[in-house]
Amino acid sequence: MTQHIADAFQFCPRCNARAEDTGNSPFRCQECDFVFYFSPVAAVGGIVVNSNNELLFIVRACDPGQGKFGLPGGFVDPGETLETSLSREVMEETSLKVTHANYLCSFPNQYTYRGITIDVLDVFFECRVDSFDSLKAQPGEVQSFHIGRPSIEILDRFAFESNRRAVEFFLTQE
Ligand SMILES: [Zn+2]
């Protein structure tokens, strides 16, 4: 069973009063006026390209979407810009250094983990790297890599529709 985060707030986290009405954003406690917004979380994804115009895809090592294809990326940490988050995530997951990043597009997404679904805004960048020579998968996050042009079979096996749409958008821009 999965549940949206807004439906999981059955009680006020501050005063413990039972919520009269769940599922709305913001959550408003009638007892103590506590307010909480379930606004989308920012996430970044990189379409990583080398000097031969080859693309890099990851095979996910964990859920959601274990064994499926994806793009390097992840949630933006507090205090980060999209650009620093992107460079950090690409470095963590692939050991590659991003030399240039250009904004491509964004798509809304949802992320379900341990039965709770949150709203996410995925922001995609084209990431240039010198080469894939130093490629190294982050244990526990990345199972393996796929390098090259994406076939329809690969696009069909993406964990997230937003990632697939970003790749398709990138291919129309080339
Ligand atoms: Zn309260």
Side-chain angles (χ1 to χ4, degrees), residues 16-31:
N16 254 359
R18 178 171 272 286
E20 291 178 8
D21 193 15
T22 59
N24 300 317
S25 183
F27 170 94
R28 286 184 196 279
C29 176
Q30 304 302 319
E31 297 297 322

Side-chain angles (χ1 to χ4, degrees), residues 12 14-17 29 31-34:
C12 172
R14 183 160 68 184
C15 77
N16 254 359
C29 176
E31 297 297 322
C32 76
D33 288 337
F34 174 83

